[in-house]
């Protein structure tokens, strides 16, 4: 089939809820992907950080195939022999006490909202149906009605109301605004440690530490959405480690499966998850044996193969290299670990055109909003590969 035929099929039969680059991929290995014409690209998006371990990691693949041959789905009506070991391993890895497995990131967010609301009524004593959760401007937590209801991005929310009440929005990075927004009915504060979809927005140093302290003082649950920042992306297992804090509840997803399968989880350091009783929450696929077997290996290779350390080292090298590039089109370069963004000046004509020029040179990047290009390759990238990437970016930015 010719490339255009794939585009035509998508356009004719698919909903147009994405605007992908017109590159049709058919194969991936490590940091590399190949299109249907055989052209090779360095994947600098890593499926929005779901492929931290690299495409088609052989050990994760082997675990998936082995488990798929034995047992894939039991539902939670019965127990399975992968769930308990998965619980133990993820709790040991992240120093959590309890875990609730789901599938997509958005489901983990929905789950945490339910759990925190119930906790706030049962434990904190907020009057029924009065719980408030504070979120940040420019957040991205997923696409359900409740979640887009507390988004501040008009594209994400326009036309989808009415929305779920009970959320308050404060500016990101402003600890004083958080404290000012807290009332006796505040149950939780939900925040991304670094705002990924907003364009890799890093809050001022000390913000998360201040948020931790404010939440403690007001008996408010601190919920960190580490679905994108987590599992090594920023050079630490969880981004909370950069400020030496621990959230009460942490959300992980994406790279929890190394890109093989949708697996997400709510991790709890407090008794919040204990408020959920049988029948109050669940998902047919959540915690299935195939997901658990994949996630167990995806977590194992992350640490065994020192991918987190590599993310820290390669991230520093990548960022330093980007900062050397001289171009009037560049407004700012910022990042932590391998979560990096280059923001262009508005006069540069938009990030998408640059993404196409990078694709011509063999690098796949995606714009976020109008003017920002994100660089977030799999964490297995080598120094030679980063050097090569920097050469391509330099050529495009100067060109
Ligand atoms: C911080 C954050 N939370 C939640 C989500 C939603 O995850 P999913 O697309 O798996 O529902 C994303 C996805 O990009 C994300 O970056």
């Amino acid at each position: 089939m010719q490339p255009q035929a794939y585009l035509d099929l998508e356009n004719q039969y698919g909903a147009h809820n994405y605007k992908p680059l017109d590159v049709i991929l058919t194969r991936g290995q490590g940091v590399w992907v190949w299109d249907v014409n055989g052209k090779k690209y360095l994947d600098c998006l890593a499926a929005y950080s779901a492929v931290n371990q690299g495409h088609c990691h052989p050990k994760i693949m082997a675990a998936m195939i082995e488990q798929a041959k034995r047992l894939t789905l039991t539902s939670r009506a019965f127990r399975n022999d992968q769930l308990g070991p998965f619980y133990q391993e993820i709790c040991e890895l992240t120093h959590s006490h309890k875990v609730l497995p789901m599938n997509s990131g958005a489901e983990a967010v929905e789950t945490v909202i339910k759990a925190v609301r119930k906790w706030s009524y049962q434990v904190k004593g907020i009057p029924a149906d009065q719980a408030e959760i504070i979120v940040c401007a420019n957040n991205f937590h997923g696409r359900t009605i409740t979640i887009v209801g507390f988004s501040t991005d008009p594209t994400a929310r326009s036309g989808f109301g009415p929305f779920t009440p009970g959320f308050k929005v404060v500016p990101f990075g402003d600890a004083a605004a958080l404290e000012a927004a807290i009332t006796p009915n505040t149950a939780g504060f939900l925040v991304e440690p670094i705002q990924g979809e907003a364009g890799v927005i890093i809050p001022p140093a000390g913000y998360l530490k201040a948020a931790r302290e404010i939440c403690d003082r007001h008996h408010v649950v601190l919920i960190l959405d580490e679905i994108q920042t987590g599992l090594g992306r920023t050079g630490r297992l969880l981004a909370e480690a950069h400020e030496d804090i621990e959230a009460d509840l942490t959300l992980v997803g994406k790279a929890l499966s190394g890109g093989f399968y949708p697996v997400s989880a709510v991790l709890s350091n407090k008794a919040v998850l204990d408020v959920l009783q049988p029948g109050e929450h669940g998902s047919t696929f959540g915690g299935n044996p195939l997901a658990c077997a994949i996630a167990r290996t995806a977590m194992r290779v992350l640490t065994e193969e020192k991918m987190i350390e590599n993310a820290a080292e390669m991230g520093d090298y990548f960022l330093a290299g980007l900062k050397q590039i001289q171009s009037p089109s560049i407004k700012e370069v910022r990042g932590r670990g391998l979560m990096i963004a280059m923001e262009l000046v508005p006069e540069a004509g938009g990030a998408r055109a640059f993404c196409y020029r990078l694709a011509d040179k063999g690098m796949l990047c995606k714009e976020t909003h109008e003017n920002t290009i994100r660089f977030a390759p799999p964490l297995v990238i080598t120094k030679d590969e980063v050097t090569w990437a920097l050469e391509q970016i330099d050529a495009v930015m100067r060109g």
Side-chain angles (χ1 to χ4, degrees):
M1 225 156 89
Q2 289 300 307
Q4 187 58 45
Y6 293 100
L7 294 182
D8 292 344
L9 286 177
E10 285 195 23
N11 285 334
Q12 184 180 348
Y13 294 109
H16 297 175
N17 55 327
Y18 276 93
K19 194 180 167 200
L21 293 196
D22 291 335
V23 176
I24 299 147
L25 301 175
T26 186
R27 187 161 75 83
Q29 194 187 351
V31 297
W32 300 98
V33 286
W34 285 262
D35 73 10
V36 289
N37 292 326
K39 184 172 161 72
K40 182 181 172 187
Y41 304 86
L42 180 70
D43 180 0
C44 267
L45 186 66
Y48 297 100
S49 296
V51 191
N52 285 3
Q53 296 87 338
H55 288 277
C56 298
H57 191 290
K59 286 185 181 161
I60 310 175
M61 194 190 315
M64 181 176 195
I65 291 168
E66 207 231 314
Q67 186 61 40
K69 285 184 190 160
R70 278 198 295 133
L71 184 68
T72 57
L73 182 63
T74 55
S75 82
R76 297 288 301 280
F78 310 110
R79 298 181 190 272
N80 74 71
D81 64 2
Q82 292 298 312
L83 186 62
F86 165 69
Y87 281 173
Q88 182 182 19
E89 287 163 22
I90 194 168
C91 284
E92 283 176 2
L93 181 70
T94 61
H95 307 290
S96 306
H97 300 149
K98 290 270 178 194
V99 53
L100 198 161
M102 296 297 284
N103 310 285
S104 67
E107 281 176 298
V109 176
E110 289 277 347
T111 302
V112 91
I113 292 167
K114 283 177 72 177
V116 165
R117 282 183 168 184
K118 187 127 196 260
W119 169 87
S120 78
Y121 303 131
Q122 285 198 351
V123 180
K124 184 165 175 174
I126 292 177
D129 297 342
Q130 300 298 309
E132 292 166 357
I133 293 177
I134 299 174
V135 298
C136 287
N138 301 319
N139 67 69
F140 186 86
H141 297 286
R143 298 293 196 174
T144 65
I145 288 291
T146 292
I147 295 170
V148 300
F150 58 75
S151 166
T152 56
D153 176 358
T155 311
R157 50 180 285 133
S158 297
F160 300 117
F163 296 121
T164 313
F167 299 93
K168 248 189 195 175
V169 181
V170 297
F172 180 63
D174 183 342
L178 165 65
E179 184 147 31
I182 291 175
T183 72
N185 289 343
T186 304
F189 174 48
L190 169 64
V191 62
E192 299 155 85
I194 295 172
Q195 290 188 324
E197 294 316 292
V200 187
I201 309 297
I202 303 172
Y207 173 62
L208 293 180
K209 229 186 175 71
R212 173 70 282 175
E213 189 270 316
I214 291 165
C215 287
D216 280 341
R217 201 147 28 81
H218 294 275
H219 202 205
V220 165
V221 170
L222 176 62
I223 312 153
L224 289 187
D225 179 345
E226 298 241 23
I227 289 165
Q228 189 162 150
T229 53
L231 303 171
R233 174 53 56 190
T234 69
R236 303 297 291 267
L237 177 73
L238 296 172
E240 66 176 16
H242 291 290
E243 293 220 353
D244 207 14
I245 61 154
E246 281 193 10
D248 299 306
L249 291 146
T250 301
L251 309 178
V252 288
K254 294 189 189 273
L256 187 50
S257 73
F260 280 81
Y261 202 79
V263 189
S264 65
V266 177
L267 304 168
S268 172
N269 264 339
K270 262 190 163 174
V272 178
L273 284 180
D274 279 346
V275 299
L276 294 176
Q277 298 300 314
E280 290 179 348
H281 192 63
S283 153
T284 303
F285 278 80
N288 73 70
L290 186 58
C292 291
I294 291 169
R296 291 177 67 194
T297 310
M299 289 188 287
R300 188 159 57 78
V301 300
L302 206 58
T303 49
E304 261 178 22
E305 298 179 18
K306 307 230 170 310
M307 293 179 193
I308 304 170
E309 293 84 340
N310 193 60
E313 207 179 313
M314 289 305 112
D316 285 350
Y317 176 60
F318 204 150
L319 191 62
L322 288 175
K323 286 187 171 157
Q324 297 297 314
I325 297 176
Q326 302 290 325
S327 162
S329 299
I330 301 174
K331 181 176 172 201
E332 189 187 45
V333 178
R334 53 182 177 262
R336 188 156 289 158
L338 282 169
M339 190 169 181
I340 299 173
M342 177 185 270
E343 188 174 335
L344 306 180
V345 295
E347 305 77 54
R352 194 172 170 90
F354 285 86
C355 290
Y356 268 117
R357 285 161 61 193
L358 286 166
D360 280 346
K361 294 205 167 287
M363 271 184 75
L364 281 187
C365 305
K366 187 73 171 60
E367 78 277 10
T368 80
H369 301 284
E370 275 293 289
N371 294 317
T372 303
I373 310 174
R374 182 170 15 191
F375 300 109
L379 310 186
V380 295
I381 196 164
T382 63
K383 194 166 182 188
D384 284 350
E385 288 161 344
V386 176
T387 304
W388 178 84
L390 288 166
E391 285 163 10
Q392 311 317 308
I393 299 165
D394 186 70
V396 164
M397 296 317 297
R398 284 172 197 271

